[in-house]
Amino acid sequence: MPKLGCSAENCANNNQNYCCISNIKVAGKEAVESSSTCCHSFVEKNDSFTNCTTEPNPNVDVACKATNCVHNANCRCGAESIDIQGQSACNCNETECSTFCCK
């Protein structure tokens, strides 16, 4: 499993720049650059909902639809570590996998 860092501080799954869930989904089937990808598991944090009741988990299983990425192996991320960007994101389309590298 890759080590996942996440700057999407407005995500209900983010705790100390790591995910609180055991797996995420990266979308971007036709992506040729990182800005065409997104964290499909993003859920906007609000005052009444947060998913971070567990310790942050740096090692997360990443299902990846970005088949043009060199790290994609049978729709799983094979990178040693990945970084999800989206510091001010309010929805998944405002996030991206900055580790994406086109084949």
Side-chain angles (χ1 to χ4, degrees):
M1 280 189 264
K3 182 173 183 177
L4 177 116
C6 179
S7 71
E9 295 172 358
N10 199 34
C11 181
N13 300 317
N14 188 312
N15 184 356
Q16 302 173 19
N17 292 323
Y18 295 110
C19 258
C20 290
I21 56 177
S22 60
N23 60 68
I24 67 166
K25 296 176 185 169
V26 172
K29 186 175 181 177
E30 304 295 323
V32 293
E33 56 189 26
S34 62
S35 63
S36 298
T37 65
C38 70
C39 179
H40 201 255
S41 301
F42 176 92
V43 176
E44 186 177 15
K45 187 185 299 184
N46 63 42
D47 293 335
S48 61
F49 175 75
T50 183
N51 196 34
C52 292
T53 58
T54 61
E55 290 295 315
N57 181 10
N59 298 305
V60 175
D61 184 39
V62 180
C64 183
K65 298 294 182 185
T67 56
N68 290 330
C69 181
V70 297
H71 303 294
N72 188 309
N74 297 319
C75 293
R76 291 280 181 236
C77 182
E80 186 174 310
S81 63
I82 68 170
D83 187 37
I84 300 294
Q85 297 289 313
Q87 190 167 11
S88 301
C90 293
N91 62 62
C92 72
N93 293 326
E94 295 175 344
T95 64
E96 68 181 61
C97 176
S98 65
T99 308
F100 176 90
C101 188
C102 196
K103 292 180 183 178

